[in-house]
Amino acid sequence: MVEGMDTAALIHTARRRAHLSQTELARRAGTSQAAVSRYESGDSPTVATLERLLGAAGARLHVDLKDAPSLDVRGDRYAQVRRHRAAVRA
C-alpha cells in the first residue's frame, strides 16, 4: 500500500496524458477497468501495482527519500514490529 502521496491523481494524470481510457489502461496493465476506477477514486495500490499502471501509461515512478527524516530502526517501536513479524511468520 502506498501512503503519503496522491496515487489517485498520479494514475489519473498519467492515463489522461497518454490519452487512454480506463479500459485501455487496465488492458495494458493486466488488470480490470474496475480496479483502475477504484485506484483513481482513492483506493491505494501497492507500489508494484502503481509502477505497473504508470508504466502501462508510459510514465515512470521515481521515489526519492533524500529529504525524508532518518529512521532509527533500533528503537522500541521497530523492535515491536520485528517481534510481531516473527510471530506471524512462525
Side-chain angles (χ1 to χ4, degrees):
M1 189 176 229
V2 180
E3 294 182 21
M5 71 173 74
D6 188 352
T7 56
L10 289 174
I11 295 166
H12 179 79
T13 299
R15 179 177 66 78
R16 297 291 297 211
R17 284 183 179 167
H19 306 287
L20 298 174
S21 65
Q22 288 182 345
T23 301
E24 181 59 18
L25 177 61
R27 187 190 67 74
R28 291 181 182 196
T31 191
S32 68
Q33 178 276 327
V36 172
S37 178
R38 283 194 314 272
Y39 295 137
E40 288 189 1
S41 296
D43 278 7
S44 188
T46 64
V47 173
T49 298
L50 180 59
E51 286 181 315
R52 193 173 70 249
L53 289 166
L54 294 177
R60 190 176 79 125
L61 178 64
H62 176 82
V63 178
D64 186 356
L65 297 175
K66 70 179 180 184
D67 293 331
S70 62
L71 298 174
D72 180 7
V73 295
R74 296 166 290 161
D76 290 340
R77 177 67 182 132
Y78 290 97
Q80 289 174 344
V81 170
R82 286 192 299 275
R83 283 193 300 273
H84 178 72
R85 274 187 160 168
V88 168
R89 289 180 180 161

